Amino acid sequence: MTGRAPLRTAAAGTIVVILAALVLAADQFTKYLALQHLPLEQPVHVIGDFLIFFRITNAGAAFSFGENVTWVFTIALAVVALVIIWLVGTRVRSRAWTVILGLLLGGVLGNLTDRLIREPGFGVGHVVDFINTPWMMPATYNVADMFITTMMVGVAILVLIGVRLDGRPRVKTAPADED
């Protein structure tokens, strides 16, 4: 533990808003560039087969799963965003949780924005994906997806090592005395 006091509500909220806004801006800007400069469904080898730009529009979730129920993903993304906002406003005082939830919120808002503003229409818009790394996984993704994935790993790590949302140190309990 660092011995630092937990964050105040306003500080945690401010950090989350700034981080989420930065991720959202980066995501939407890179999607704008992809839409302006990349051909649809034609590979552009940036670094051989290591990094390929391949622009697609994705109605579904990961690996295009659930293409016929796009509205479900819109609702799920909105719920996740609201839960993060609620947690930050009511419980989160940990610096680690604040950073991870801010970056996760930015990723969620990036894909939610696509669902709300892109074709074919409000709530069922297709997400713009354009990054392909075939050596790593057989998927095409975007900046928001990278933050969602990595921050969910971060959430898992914080849970596993026992970092509390409120920023207070864990109380170590002594083993029960045996008679």
Side-chain angles (χ1 to χ4, degrees):
M1 256 323 153
T2 63
R4 295 165 63 174
L7 293 172
R8 294 185 177 168
T9 303
T14 301
I15 292 167
V16 166
V17 166
I18 290 169
L19 292 175
L22 288 171
V23 171
L24 175 61
D27 176 66
Q28 290 299 307
F29 181 66
T30 56
K31 288 173 180 173
Y32 168 79
L33 291 175
L35 288 167
Q36 295 300 310
H37 301 289
L38 294 176
L40 184 62
E41 298 181 0
Q42 293 180 25
V44 176
H45 293 264
V46 180
I47 305 174
D49 285 338
F50 184 82
L51 175 62
I52 302 168
F53 287 163
F54 186 80
R55 182 170 62 95
I56 61 170
T57 55
N58 186 354
F63 304 104
S64 297
F65 171 77
E67 290 180 335
N68 296 325
V69 289
T70 301
W71 60 273
V72 172
F73 302 119
T74 303
I75 292 170
L77 288 167
V79 168
V80 169
L82 291 172
V83 167
I84 291 171
I85 292 166
W86 176 77
L87 283 172
V88 171
T90 62
R91 302 207 173 157
V92 175
R93 302 295 169 265
S94 158
R95 284 165 176 75
W97 276 106
T98 299
V99 169
I100 285 181
L101 291 177
L103 297 172
L104 176 60
L105 180 61
V108 167
L109 292 176
N111 283 344
L112 180 59
T113 298
D114 284 8
R115 298 285 182 205
L116 297 175
I117 68 169
R118 301 214 188 272
E119 294 294 328
F122 184 82
V124 293
H126 296 179
V127 173
V128 175
D129 290 331
F130 62 94
I131 302 168
N132 183 272
T133 48
W135 57 272
M136 184 170 62
M137 70 174 86
T140 303
Y141 50 94
N142 58 48
V143 171
D145 294 335
M146 291 188 305
F147 278 96
I148 291 169
T149 303
T150 57
M151 292 309 108
M152 288 307 298
V153 170
V155 166
I157 290 169
L158 292 181
V159 169
L160 288 172
I161 65 174
V163 176
R164 295 170 51 130
L165 286 172
D166 62 12
R168 293 181 298 155
R170 288 188 300 165
V171 177
K172 293 184 180 181
T173 58
D177 290 335
E178 294 184 29
D179 291 329

